[in-house]
Amino acid sequence: MKDITLLSSPLQGFTDFRFRNAFHRYFGGVDTFYAPYIRLNGKLIIKNSYQKDLQPHNNSTLEVIPQVMTNDADEFLFVVKYIQSLGYKELNWNLGCPYPMVTKQGMGSGLICNPGKIDLILKRTHEETDVTVSMKMRMGYEHAQEILEVFPILDKYPLKNIAIHARIGKQLYKGGVDLEAFQQCIDNTRHKLYYNGDITSVAKFREMKERFPGIDHFMIGRGLIADPFLPSMIKNDTTEYPKDRWKIFSEFHDTIYQQYDEALSGPTPIKMKMQGFWEYFSQSFSNPHQTFKRIKKANNPRAYQQAVRENLNEG
C-alpha cells in the first residue's frame, strides 16, 4: 500500500510531541501528524503547553500540522500569525470535535450547522493571510446532511483537503460510521477528501479502501493508540506483527512514561496519564479487561511497573 498516505488524527491529551516522536521512532508508518488543537477561549494568548507542542525543535523529525478550534475570525487569524512565526505553512481547522463542552459553545462539530460563520472566517483568512487551510470535520452535529449544506461555502475556497470522520457529533464515538453519508460527501464536493473513522485493523482498512477506491489519504485516531503497529502494517499490507512486537512496545512505553513522568509533577498526574493510554493499549492485548484492570489497581509507581511487566508477559 505504498500509494496510501496515512495521517495521525489529533487526540487531545494523547498525541502531543512526546507521543508523536516516540511513535515515529518505534513504529513509523504515519506520514503526517496533526497536533492537538489550539483553543484560545476568548483571550489572544497561546498557552505554554501549545507553544511547547509546536516548537520546531520538538518536531524536528516529523511532518506536523497545527490545528485550531475556534468560531471567531480574530482568534483564527491570531493563530495563523503564531504558527507562521514558527515556520508552519498550513493550519487545520477543527470542525470535528464531538464533545458537548465544545459543541455547546458552537465550536467543533457544533459549528457545522452555521455556514455563514464558516464563510466569514474562511473569507477573512483567505483575504488577509497566505496560510494554507485544511479542515477536519464530522458529518454534522445533529444529522449527516449538515455537511452537505456547508459544501457550497467550502467550494468557494482553495482548501487543501477536508478530512471527514464519518459520524455525526452527537454520536461521540458510539454506533457505526455512516459510509453512505461519506459517499454523499464524495459526490457533493470538488475538494480532496480524507477518510477518518474506525480504522482499527488492517482488515478494516482494506474494507474502507475497497469501498472508497478514489480515497488515498486515511486518518487514524484511536486505532493508532490502541495498536501502534497498525500504520506500518497497513503500509506493508500485512497482518503479521514483528517478531519482537512486545519488546518494541515495551521500549516505546518506557520512553513515553519517562518523558511524561519528567513533565508532570507527582504520582497522581502520571498515573492518570498512563491510565488514559492503557485504556487504548489494552485493546490489542489478548485479555483487554484484565490488562486494563491491572493498570487501574496499581496505586504507586512500583506497582504500576509491575502491572506493565505482567501485561507484557501475557501479551
Side-chain angles (χ1 to χ4, degrees), residues 26-284:
Y26 289 105
F27 306 109
V30 171
D31 298 290
T32 303
F33 290 83
Y34 288 84
Y37 59 72
I38 294 173
R39 185 175 169 188
L40 298 182
N41 296 327
K43 296 193 187 88
L44 296 185
I45 297 166
I46 308 279
K47 280 195 329 201
N48 279 344
S49 58
Y50 298 146
Q51 292 191 32
K52 197 171 268 187
D53 194 45
L54 290 175
Q55 280 303 325
H57 65 82
N58 284 333
N59 296 284
S60 57
T61 60
L62 313 173
E63 183 177 343
V64 175
I65 297 170
Q67 188 183 70
V68 64
M69 164 85 76
T70 186
N71 59 9
D72 178 273
D74 290 330
E75 285 190 357
F76 199 103
L77 294 168
F78 181 79
V79 174
V80 169
K81 279 201 183 69
Y82 176 70
I83 63 127
Q84 286 185 325
S85 75
L86 297 174
Y88 294 99
K89 308 231 176 335
E90 178 183 341
L91 183 61
N92 185 264
W93 188 11
N94 184 320
L95 268 68
C97 182
Y99 292 110
M101 60 185 187
V102 165
T103 56
K104 280 189 176 125
Q105 294 180 15
M107 288 190 280
S109 58
L111 182 56
I112 300 172
C113 62
N114 195 334
K117 193 170 261 193
I118 294 169
D119 192 14
L120 172 76
I121 293 172
L122 288 175
K123 185 173 191 296
R124 283 196 57 194
T125 303
H126 286 94
E127 282 175 358
E128 298 174 38
T129 80
D130 62 351
V131 77
T132 299
V133 179
S134 57
M135 312 283 287
K136 170 93 168 71
M137 302 180 76
R138 290 222 173 186
M139 302 290 184
Y141 185 76
E142 290 288 343
H143 58 81
Q145 298 302 304
E146 287 175 38
I147 196 169
L148 300 180
E149 288 156 24
V150 183
F151 279 150
I153 300 291
L154 301 183
D155 280 353
K156 291 169 24 182
Y157 299 100
L159 304 174
K160 182 181 165 197
N161 64 274
I162 306 168
I164 301 176
H165 183 128
R167 282 187 172 87
I168 53 172
K170 70 177 185 184
Q171 272 183 275
L172 296 177
Y173 292 97
K174 300 181 185 80
V177 283
D178 188 342
L179 301 183
E180 288 303 316
F182 186 77
Q183 183 61 52
Q184 279 195 302
C185 291
I186 293 174
D187 298 339
N188 282 283
T189 182
R190 68 179 185 81
H191 282 302
K192 182 171 185 64
L193 299 186
Y194 295 1
Y195 176 83
N196 178 216
D198 284 10
I199 296 178
T200 51
S201 65
V202 175
K204 205 78 183 152
F205 168 78
R206 287 173 180 163
E207 207 179 289
M208 295 303 173
K209 184 70 193 113
E210 206 167 299
R211 178 78 167 74
F212 304 114
I215 301 288
D216 58 5
H217 285 62
F218 292 84
M219 200 178 245
I220 308 178
R222 297 164 303 144
L224 165 152
I225 303 176
D227 185 357
F229 291 95
L230 180 58
S232 61
M233 286 163 71
I234 288 172
K235 282 284 178 74
N236 294 317
D237 202 14
T238 180
T239 53
E240 295 285 312
Y241 284 93
K243 295 222 179 337
D244 54 353
R245 172 186 181 179
W246 297 114
K247 180 176 178 289
I248 296 170
F249 178 82
S250 170
E251 287 173 11
F252 162 74
H253 167 275
D254 292 352
T255 300
I256 61 170
Y257 179 85
Q258 187 188 343
Q259 291 183 0
Y260 286 122
D261 197 27
E262 284 167 14
L264 300 165
S265 46
T268 307
I270 184 70
K271 174 178 160 51
M272 298 317 291
K273 184 71 157 178
M274 296 313 295
Q275 202 168 295
F277 276 114
W278 276 99
E279 213 165 328
Y280 289 109
F281 292 159
S282 62
Q283 292 168 28
S284 54

